[in-house]
Amino acid sequence: MHRLDLTDQVVRMVGKEGMSVEEGTQQLDDILNMGPMFAWYWQLLDWGLASWSVCLLAFHGSWIDSAAAFVLGLVAGSLNLLASRLKGYTNLFEASVSILCGFVVSALGEWLCFPAVTLSATVVLLPGLVLTTGAIELAARNMHAGTIRVGYALMLAFIIAFGIHLGNNAYVEIFSAPNRASNMDLAVCAPVSMWWWWLAFPVSISSICLLINVHPRNWPMCNVAAGAMFAVFWTLVIHLQLETIGPVVSAFVLGLVGNVWGRLFRRNAYSIMLPGIMLLVPGSVGVRGIMSMFGGSETGSGAQLVSQMAQTSLSIMIGLFASSFVVHPHGKKLSALITV
């Protein structure tokens, strides 16, 4: 996201502040050749923190569940670093992480809540953001990019679900153990008090910021925008049980805060909104979609998967488009981002 911020600034300077095209091209080359913003060990720790915080915040995990999710998140982050160095392992990465998580959590299933830990450990891989981005691209009439993203998101959901299922079945068949994945309902877990969510929330947002390379100077604003979104989501969905309009209004508030900030300071608003979008997506798209996937014995579970994932993605899309229209009724000009 830091490179995207810099690219957006170059676009503005070339289009509005008189920078020459040659100088702009040179700056784009410099941006393209920039090294990573955070060292590998920070990236590795971030996978663990993301899994820990999301386990408490979105997946009804206990403190023991979150600790297990943290360890498995570190393992997943290590495999991600391995995939970045061994190109042949890249195509096997998502499946191997899912299989490993399913196997390990099944082995420790007597002490852990299976759905909370497996979904938390694979939270970075969940396809909710990809699907939402694809829906936004399709709505913006970018047919090729949108279709590819939606198809990839659905395939990734199948890969993750099958990997967890395969890892669980491998342990069950080898050790003749009870099937821990037979019920992926998060209601069977023992969550911590909701008041602890406000502790996990800034950790979750900050870990997402590090994951997508948001510059640290933008982290406070990311927390403010996502905090406003989460407060609305908490009120509408959790307390008032308005599960249909809750994601729409939450996404609208998130987009409104981000776009107003971007217009006032002439900065890229998308980098401010994206951490909140990613937090809104796993709790609705990722959980419901993959839970429906594991409910294969139920009639119409496949249709339920597509319906739930599409419904939440479209809710986020509508909220973001509405907020962008309110702040930029004539559209955005001279920006590297024209969609949201």
Side-chain angles (χ1 to χ4, degrees), residues 54 123-124 129 205 208-209 211-212 229 254 273-283 316:
V54 172
V123 66
V124 179
L129 179 63
I205 293 297
I208 293 174
C209 289
L211 181 69
I212 61 178
M229 176 273 296
L254 174 65
M273 295 187 290
L274 187 56
I277 295 173
M278 293 183 69
L279 187 64
L280 186 62
V281 163
I316 297 172

Side-chain angles (χ1 to χ4, degrees), residues 210-295:
L210 195 153
L211 181 69
I212 61 178
N213 288 318
V214 176
H215 196 282
R217 66 169 174 265
N218 292 331
W219 288 17
M221 192 60 209
C222 289
N223 276 275
V224 170
M229 176 273 296
F230 187 65
V232 174
F233 187 85
W234 172 296
T235 302
L236 295 181
V237 177
I238 297 176
H239 287 285
L240 300 181
Q241 303 296 314
L242 301 177
E243 297 184 359
T244 301
I245 67 172
V248 179
V249 180
S250 300
F252 174 79
V253 171
L254 174 65
L256 188 65
V257 174
N259 279 299
V260 168
W261 178 87
R263 184 158 188 170
L264 289 177
F265 295 97
R266 298 183 179 275
R267 300 289 297 278
N268 171 23
Y270 188 63
S271 61
I272 300 300
M273 295 187 290
L274 187 56
I277 295 173
M278 293 183 69
L279 187 64
L280 186 62
V281 163
S284 49
V285 177
V287 174
R288 294 178 183 177
I290 294 182
M291 283 173 58
S292 298
M293 175 74 67
F294 278 95

Side-chain angles (χ1 to χ4, degrees), residues 139-187:
R141 297 172 180 81
N142 296 324
M143 297 301 176
H144 294 290
T147 302
I148 292 172
R149 289 181 188 276
V150 170
Y152 173 69
L154 294 177
M155 180 55 64
L156 187 58
F158 276 94
I159 292 173
I160 295 173
F162 178 74
I164 296 175
H165 179 71
L166 181 60
N168 171 74
N169 281 5
Y171 181 83
V172 169
E173 294 175 2
I174 292 173
F175 298 99
S176 300
N179 187 357
R180 305 289 181 183
S182 58
N183 183 10
M184 289 294 288
D185 188 359
L186 293 175

Side-chain angles (χ1 to χ4, degrees), residues 56-69:
L56 299 174
L57 190 62
F59 297 133
H60 296 187
S62 65
W63 292 111
I64 297 177
D65 295 332
S66 63

